[in-house]
Amino acid sequence: AKRVCLSDVKAFHEVFKKSKNIVVLTGAGVSAESGIPTFRGSGGFWRKYQATDLATPTAFKRDPSLVWEFYHYRREVVMAASPNKAHTALAEAERRLTAEGRQFNVVTQNVDGLHLKAGSSNVLELHGSLMKTRCLKCEDVRENRDSPICPALEGRGLPDVNSCSSSIPTEQLPRCQSGSCNGLLRPHVVWFGENLDSGVLAEAERLLSACDLCLVIGTSSVVYPAAAFAPSAAARGIPVAEFNIEESPTVHDLLSFYFKGPCGTTVPEALS
Ligand code: BJW
Ligand code: ZN
């Protein structure tokens, strides 16, 4: 594939102008400039744990208190965070293109809700949301913005390596508020080894198969099934543009455009 860099933003504008159906795939990097830690690399640690080691059903079964401390901390970070210039540029592009009768959809791996906070409406959350809980007993899913999410987690979840685990008894962890259920709640997110919601996945595949331009912003593109989306678009001959501070090995060879740099700068330029 032809590879172009930041200096060719004009060539990108030509393609962008003509496209009628754009899908934007985002990952943790789009929220990095809002102060949300990414998963991989040096920022991906909470205490001595790699974030990805806590995002598993096994970790939750072994130590629900520890995993809830981790999610409580992240909920508080996200509730205090604001969308950055990349989120805003995507929301503005959606408004502009929709008014022109063009399709503009964000498919995000992020659980932080910042695309919605920025004003995007066409957002598909592949991996769930930090602001939703699910009951292990009755499966009830509901939005929850309580801060703290329960009294026992107040002031807990501090990320520095020397903080010790609180070992909160499960009865004091977040519990189901539906009727008299009182089951243990978990974050309504998709952990490793768990299936994505089948309706959400089908919708993502439908959007990807209908787009005529695909943007990939701030994802290492290593986690499936999302990692297969851009390659599937490229296989149809659709132009794919990546915005990242570093090249993602898994998608780089199929790119039409690569804009290296912080997406808070590169995305507003490209979508202007
Ligand atoms: C910037 C920037 C700036 C920084 N500007 N850029 C096929 C092959 C191999 C394995 C599998 C496979 N199919 C399934 C699997 C297993 C697994 C998987 O993919 N493993 C791989 C690691 C190999 N997948 C699953 O388990 C999925 N389920 C599934 O497939 O079900 C079927 C199944 C069932 C049973 C067994 C096997 C399969 C589920 C995946 C769920 C992922 N969940 C998480 C946690 C969500 C909850 C939470 O937040 O706590 O989702 S893990 C984590 O990774 C999170 C993210 O959404 C996801 C992706 O990470 P992302 O967004 O790419 O972040 P980073 O940190 O990796 O990258 C940041 C990027 O930004 C970097 O590139 C930076 O350079 C860049 N950046 N600052 C621009 N300012
Ligand atoms: Zn319940």
Side-chain angles (χ1 to χ4, degrees):
K2 178 176 58 147
R3 202 172 298 171
V4 207
C5 61
L6 189 55
S7 53
D8 293 299
V9 68
K10 279 210 178 97
F12 176 80
H13 281 155
E14 288 308 308
V15 175
F16 183 56
K17 229 165 45 190
K18 291 192 192 110
S19 53
K20 301 240 177 321
N21 189 332
I22 299 166
V23 167
V24 185
L25 183 64
T26 66
V30 80
S31 297
E33 290 160 73
S34 294
I36 316 274
T38 59
F39 288 89
R40 293 167 185 84
S42 54
F45 278 87
W46 178 82
R47 297 187 182 160
K48 61 183 183 191
Y49 306 96
Q50 189 87 56
T52 46
D53 291 335
L54 295 170
T56 72
T58 321
F60 189 72
K61 256 179 230 122
R62 188 192 306 131
D63 196 343
S65 170
L66 181 73
V67 172
W68 259 122
E69 279 198 80
F70 170 61
Y71 280 93
H72 164 62
Y73 168 70
R74 291 175 56 209
R75 283 166 55 88
E76 298 294 321
V77 168
V78 158
M79 282 192 272
S82 305
N84 63 53
K85 289 178 178 162
H87 296 110
T88 308
L90 292 168
E92 279 169 8
E94 180 192 300
R95 274 195 290 276
R96 202 168 70 236
L97 271 61
T98 305
E100 295 169 2
R102 298 154 72 193
Q103 304 277 320
F104 193 92
N105 288 280
V106 172
V107 175
T108 187
Q109 297 168 84
N110 298 343
V111 294
D112 58 32
L114 288 179
H115 287 299
L116 294 165
K117 210 171 184 179
S120 287
S121 341
N122 303 338
V123 181
L124 198 60
E125 292 179 318
L126 291 173
H127 293 161
S129 168
L130 286 176
M131 297 303 151
K132 288 181 183 163
T133 57
R134 184 164 84 241
C135 175
L136 293 180
K137 199 164 143 196
C138 75
E139 307 265 280
D140 179 62
V141 172
R142 57 176 73 181
E143 194 174 285
N144 182 315
R145 294 180 182 275
D146 299 348
S147 167
I149 186 165
C150 66
L153 280 166
E154 173 136 45
R156 306 292 181 183
L158 297 175
D160 51 285
V161 243
N162 297 317
S163 315
C164 48
S165 160
S166 304
S167 300
I168 300 165
T170 52
E171 310 80 67
Q172 291 172 33
L173 289 173
R175 311 296 305 197
C176 185
Q177 305 294 309
S178 174
S180 58
C181 176
N182 199 39
L184 178 62
L185 295 178
R186 58 164 279 180
H188 186 53
V189 297
V190 183
W191 284 328
F192 281 114
E194 295 184 322
N195 286 311
L196 277 66
D197 178 274
S198 59
V200 169
L201 183 57
E203 176 64 1
E205 282 165 352
R206 192 188 68 76
L207 292 172
L208 261 298
S209 68
C211 72
D212 57 9
L213 173 62
C214 176
L215 313 185
V216 183
I217 307 176
T219 173
S220 56
S221 298
V222 296
V223 174
Y224 287 86
F229 292 167
S232 78
R236 284 195 296 120
I238 299 308
V240 175
E242 178 175 30
F243 301 77
N244 202 309
I245 49 174
E246 52 189 56
E247 302 169 15
S248 316
T250 49
V251 296
H252 203 72
D253 287 341
L254 46 87
L255 293 176
S256 302
F257 299 94
Y258 173 57
F259 298 110
K260 189 182 179 73
C263 61
T265 306
T266 58
V267 170
E269 257 172 36
L271 300 189
S272 65

